[in-house]
Amino acid sequence: DLDGLIKDHGPMPPARVVYILRQMCHSLAEAHQSGLVHRDIKPANVFLCRLGRDVDFVKVLDFGLVKKLKAMQEAHLTQVGTFAGTPAFGSPEAAAGKVDELGPASDVYSVGCVAYWLLTGETVFKATGAMEMLASHIRDAPVPPSERCEVDLPEELDRVILRCLEKDPEARIGTADELDALLEELQLVYPWSTEEALGWWNLHRPEPGS
């Protein structure tokens, strides 16, 4: 999973991050098209896999908190003023318990938080507890990831991530498809090749029997 991977191996190069984020967008776009919101996108719920001979194959898992938008809003399955998810990666509207504002843009915010983690090895906000973390998502401006990144981060990627992290869902990149389109443009300039992916996996392949 992307939580353990970064803890073990450190931040990823921007090109690989873009490659991973696009696959996350594809998974979420399918869910959103069916009227579903994941609500708990975080590094521990995103797995980087080998699939046959393919590597860096992304799976978005643990849809345990997923809700149908209409049912969630009409039946109030999540009560106003409560939070479901992981504080370090939750959207401002989720942190504030605003059920009527939860939607695809909420998952996009969380994808921005995951991108921040992949590039910097740090969460967007540093807090000592869950309530402080939720308050930071609601009120605090994020430090641009480029200021915490160990490598030069393309300005375009910096801007895309900050757009994902807008407090207001209306000002944020609104859908996974919209985010994917922006990332596709970046991937043309910063490609992550099959050879690079295989090189990483071969370097870090576990020894037989380990």
Side-chain angles (χ1 to χ4, degrees):
D1 65 84
L2 297 183
D3 181 65
L5 189 148
I6 297 303
K7 289 176 179 176
D8 289 343
H9 301 289
M12 293 182 177
R16 192 182 192 191
V17 172
V18 169
Y19 185 81
I20 290 170
L21 294 179
R22 289 202 65 200
Q23 293 183 71
M24 291 177 62
C25 286
H26 295 172
S27 180
L28 288 172
E30 181 181 5
H32 296 161
Q33 189 174 24
S34 299
L36 304 175
V37 180
H38 189 289
R39 300 199 302 162
D40 197 21
I41 295 296
K42 59 183 178 181
N45 283 342
V46 183
F47 277 64
L48 201 60
C49 311
R50 295 182 69 104
L51 185 64
R53 298 178 64 187
D54 296 329
V55 295
D56 276 7
F57 182 86
V58 172
K59 292 185 179 182
V60 178
L61 302 179
D62 196 0
F63 278 71
L65 291 179
V66 73
K67 296 292 184 184
K68 275 190 172 292
L69 278 171
K70 187 175 181 180
M72 181 167 57
Q73 294 167 359
E74 292 182 356
H76 299 285
L77 297 177
T78 302
Q79 297 299 315
V80 174
T82 65
F83 177 81
T86 304
F89 299 92
S91 67
E93 56 271 22
K98 297 180 178 179
V99 180
D100 59 337
E101 293 186 14
L102 293 177
S106 305
D107 281 345
V108 168
Y109 184 95
S110 298
V111 172
C113 293
V114 171
Y116 204 101
W117 169 255
L118 296 179
L119 290 165
T120 68
E122 300 180 16
T123 55
V124 177
F125 299 109
K126 299 178 180 180
T128 57
M131 295 305 296
E132 183 182 349
M133 182 67 78
L134 294 175
S136 291
H137 281 297
I138 294 170
R139 72 183 181 214
D140 297 340
V143 175
S146 58
E147 296 185 17
R148 293 183 176 172
C149 196
E150 297 178 354
V151 299
D152 289 336
L153 187 64
E155 292 182 10
E156 304 95 322
L157 182 55
D158 209 34
R159 286 196 295 267
V160 166
I161 294 171
L162 290 176
R163 286 187 59 197
C164 290
L165 298 176
E166 288 281 357
K167 304 296 184 189
D168 182 359
E170 295 296 324
R172 195 180 304 151
I173 295 172
T175 67
D177 282 334
E178 182 184 351
L179 176 56
D180 181 54
L182 294 170
L183 294 170
E184 183 179 19
E185 294 180 8
L186 281 168
Q187 194 172 40
L188 294 174
V189 184
Y190 306 101
W192 177 248
S193 69
T194 301
E195 290 74 20
E196 289 173 301
L198 283 170
W200 188 92
W201 281 83
N202 288 334
L203 180 63
H204 298 95
R205 182 193 298 270
E207 293 295 330
S210 63

